[in-house]
């Protein structure tokens, strides 16, 4: 998903890369079969005969944003990939003399739409996937590069009246609302072997389905009712790349983070004190009252290393939230996984929030799971940990980071208690 491919005029399947980009024809090569093409906006692969009749392997869709609003392409396609929605206009134009549903592209998509509405799993198993691409500009050129935008199903087809063309007149066309399916299980990639298998008349629909993405198989099994579940929804804007969570290599910040890690690598319980202090600073930065509570036992803490309380409002217009904290002193180049964060999430009750503090970084899959499942957990990575410590050191310790750390440990040691987290609401 999102990869840019070189789409050359020569249509050669070799080499694997052209001008530093993956070769579209190499990536989509099915040995012994005709090349996949993006010459038109809607490109239907030829059907193959199978036991039950015929199967169309796929339909490739190409949108050219740079043409939108022109006489050649008077419509504007909408690609909202992160929310799994594409609104794609058919190929009927003002000068087309054929009936609106008889143009090659519209006819192909209407046929696919019928198969996508099939009431049985058997009918849906042979339905053709839509493979979405967008033309993008590279090196000042609007042609020759395409971006893969995913696999889609047609949710609805609608006849619309548009305006455009040389005569500036109205004409009828089709517009298709597409559901871009979730490819998270496949690492946001499409295995072309699935399409190659769909092009082989010797391979049954059931065998082909085994190669399909997990979301596609889910849709084949359950149909229209699972479209909300299989739709791609990725809050990319809330996911921080791993490299952006780490200090610049060779910088003083990286050296300081390594120093903090070495200080606590053999004293993980002391790091819990530091994590609790930093978590308190972050919580108070929002302007709310935060009460530091206690550290949990060294072992058997059940996924929480420290406990605090966040007070919002006052009186009848106020509430108190239990805060469960997890501290993880790991190598700065290490990643915290979704499974590790899940330990804190599993402890949370309604109205509780969590905070995870580490010297490492959070994997992107872990962040995606947090966003998509809306877990109320704050994530503080190693770089942010240093940022908070720098502010404390600069204000109260003359900028000496490690001196600041030692002072925090000696002056802010929290009591280790064997209490239930909810007891902090009574303090």
């Amino acid at each position: 998903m999102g990869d840019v491919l070189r789409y050359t005029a020569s249509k050669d399947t070799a080499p694997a890369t052209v001008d530093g980009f993956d070769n579209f024809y190499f990536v989509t090569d099915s040995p012994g079969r005709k090349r996949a093409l993006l010459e038109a906006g809607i490109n239907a692969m030829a059907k193959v005969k199978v036991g039950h009749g015929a199967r169309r392997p796929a339909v490739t869709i190409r949108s050219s944003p740079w043409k939108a609003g022109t006489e050649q392409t008077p419509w504007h396609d909408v690609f909202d990939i992160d929310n799994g929605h594409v609104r794609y206009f058919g190929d009927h134009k003002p000068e087309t003399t054929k009936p609106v549903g008889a143009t090659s592209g519209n006819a192909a998509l209407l046929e696919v739409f019928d198969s996508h509405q099939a009431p049985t799993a058997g009918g849906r198993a042979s339905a053709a996937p839509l493979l979405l691409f967008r033309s993008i500009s590279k090196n000042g050129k609007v042609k020759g590069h395409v971006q893969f935008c995913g696999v889609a199903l047609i949710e609805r087809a609608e006849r619309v009246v548009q305006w455009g063309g040389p005569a500036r007149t109205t004409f009828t066309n089709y517009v298709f609302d597409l559901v871009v399916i979730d490819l998270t299980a496949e690492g946001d990639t499409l295995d072309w072997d699935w399409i190659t298998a769909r092009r082989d008349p010797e391979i049954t629909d059931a065998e082909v389905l085994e190669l399909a993405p997990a979301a596609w198989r889910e849709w084949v099994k359950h149909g229209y009712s699972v479209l909300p579940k299989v739709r791609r929804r990725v809050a990319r804007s809330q996911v921080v790349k791993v490299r952006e969570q780490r200090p610049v290599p060779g910088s003083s910040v990286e050296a300081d983070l390594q120093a903090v890690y070495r200080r606590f690598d053999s004293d993980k319980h002391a790091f819990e004190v530091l994590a609790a202090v930093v978590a308190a600073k972050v919580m108070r930065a929002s302007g709310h009252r935060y009460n530091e509570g206690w550290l949990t036992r060294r072992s058997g803490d059940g996924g929480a290393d420290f406990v605090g309380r966040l007070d919002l409002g006052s009186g009848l217009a106020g509430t108190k939230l239990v805060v469960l904290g997890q501290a993880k002193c790991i190598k700065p180049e290490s990643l915290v996984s979704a499974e590790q964060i899940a330990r804190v999430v599993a402890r949370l009750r309604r109205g509780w929030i969590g905070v995870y503090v580490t010297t490492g970084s959070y994997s992107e899959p872990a962040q995606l799971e947090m966003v998509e499942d809306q877990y109320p957990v704050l994530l503080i990575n190693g770089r942010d940990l240093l940022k908070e410590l720098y502010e404390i050191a600069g204000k109260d310790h003359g900028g000496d980071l490690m001196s600041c750390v030692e002072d925090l440990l000696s002056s802010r040691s929290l009591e280790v208690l064997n209490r239930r987290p909810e007891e902090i609401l009574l303090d």
Side-chain angles (χ1 to χ4, degrees):
M1 292 284 291
D3 281 0
V4 176
L5 310 174
R6 187 72 168 86
Y7 189 79
T8 63
S10 64
K11 301 180 175 58
D12 292 331
T13 57
T17 60
V18 179
D19 301 330
F21 297 92
D22 288 337
N23 181 357
F24 171 85
Y25 296 103
F26 177 85
V27 171
T28 61
D29 184 36
S30 296
R33 310 293 173 187
K34 292 183 178 180
R35 294 180 181 88
L37 296 174
L38 293 174
E39 296 301 291
I42 304 168
N43 308 268
M45 291 184 179
K47 294 181 180 180
V48 297
K49 293 183 179 180
V50 290
H52 60 79
R55 176 177 66 218
R56 191 180 297 282
V59 176
T60 57
I61 300 290
R62 177 175 181 166
S63 179
S64 300
W66 58 276
K67 291 184 179 180
T70 65
E71 291 182 3
Q72 185 180 5
T73 309
W75 47 79
H76 293 257
D77 299 325
V78 177
F79 275 60
D80 184 5
I81 303 302
D82 283 352
N83 290 307
H85 176 252
V86 167
R87 189 167 174 82
Y88 188 82
F89 287 87
D91 61 349
H92 199 88
K93 298 180 180 180
E95 65 274 15
T96 304
T97 57
K98 294 181 179 180
V100 63
T103 54
S104 61
N106 279 347
L109 290 185
L110 289 172
E111 178 189 81
V112 171
F113 178 56
D114 285 341
S115 65
H116 287 177
Q117 302 299 308
T120 65
R124 293 187 292 270
S126 63
L130 306 185
L131 309 182
L132 306 179
F133 295 87
R134 276 189 298 193
S135 297
I136 63 171
S137 300
K138 286 292 180 181
N139 303 320
K141 297 180 180 180
V142 296
K143 296 183 179 181
H145 297 85
V146 294
Q147 181 182 46
F148 177 56
C149 297
V151 181
L153 295 155
I154 303 178
E155 185 174 16
R156 69 177 61 86
E158 178 185 0
R159 288 180 67 154
V160 294
V161 176
Q162 295 181 266
W163 181 88
R168 292 296 188 267
T169 185
T170 59
F171 66 100
T172 305
N173 194 12
Y174 273 96
V175 63
F176 301 88
D177 285 302
L178 313 181
V179 173
V180 184
I181 68 169
D182 185 14
L183 295 179
T184 301
E186 292 73 33
D188 267 356
T189 62
L190 171 65
D191 187 347
W192 194 258
D193 287 345
W194 175 42
I195 306 302
T196 298
R198 291 185 59 85
R199 304 182 75 177
D200 191 336
E202 302 300 320
I203 301 180
T204 67
D205 289 343
E207 292 170 330
V208 164
L209 192 59
E210 294 178 2
L211 300 175
W216 186 271
R217 296 197 303 269
E218 184 78 2
W219 168 76
V220 168
K221 182 177 181 180
H222 298 288
Y224 185 87
S225 64
V226 297
L227 286 185
K229 179 180 178 181
V230 303
R231 184 189 297 270
R232 173 184 171 86
R233 294 189 185 278
V234 181
R236 292 294 184 188
S237 62
Q238 299 182 50
V239 175
V240 181
K241 299 291 185 182
V242 171
R243 66 176 179 275
E244 296 173 359
Q245 299 179 61
R246 293 173 174 168
V248 176
S251 66
S252 60
V253 179
E254 182 185 51
D256 286 343
L257 184 56
Q258 290 286 352
V260 171
Y261 163 70
R262 289 192 298 269
R263 167 61 181 85
F264 295 102
D265 184 37
S266 58
D267 190 3
K268 301 298 176 65
H269 199 61
F271 182 71
E272 295 172 7
V273 176
L274 187 68
V277 171
V278 170
K281 184 176 182 301
V282 171
M283 294 285 186
R284 289 169 181 150
S286 64
H288 300 295
R289 295 189 303 278
Y290 180 77
N291 298 278
E292 296 181 62
W294 58 83
L295 301 182
T296 60
R297 300 190 306 271
R298 290 177 179 268
S299 60
D301 57 32
D305 293 321
F306 59 91
V307 177
R309 192 185 76 213
L310 187 65
D311 295 348
L312 306 177
S314 61
L316 293 177
T319 188
K320 299 177 180 179
L321 304 178
V322 174
V323 177
L324 294 186
Q326 177 74 36
K328 189 66 66 175
C329 181
I330 58 177
K331 293 181 179 179
E333 60 270 21
S334 299
L335 292 176
V336 175
S337 68
E339 291 76 13
Q340 291 171 301
I341 298 175
R343 292 190 65 210
V344 176
V345 174
R347 288 290 308 277
L348 299 180
R349 299 182 184 177
R350 179 176 296 182
W352 293 14
I353 62 175
V355 57
Y356 202 112
V357 184
T358 182
T359 48
S361 304
Y362 298 96
S363 71
E364 291 176 35
Q367 294 179 70
L368 284 174
E369 183 171 321
M370 292 287 298
V371 172
E372 292 174 351
D373 292 339
Q374 299 181 343
Y375 291 141
V377 179
L378 283 70
L379 303 180
I380 301 175
N381 56 47
R383 186 172 178 174
D384 289 340
L385 173 70
L386 259 290
K387 174 178 175 293
E388 301 300 332
L389 291 176
Y390 281 146
E391 290 184 3
I392 297 173
K395 181 178 180 180
D396 301 325
H397 299 81
D400 188 332
L401 179 68
M402 297 313 295
S403 172
C404 167
V405 168
E406 295 303 329
D407 284 351
L408 289 176
L409 294 179
S410 62
S411 64
R412 304 288 289 279
S413 296
L414 301 181
E415 186 179 5
V416 179
L417 298 176
N418 184 20
R419 299 176 61 187
R420 298 192 306 273
E422 57 269 28
E423 292 183 46
I424 198 170
L425 297 175
L426 305 176
D427 292 346

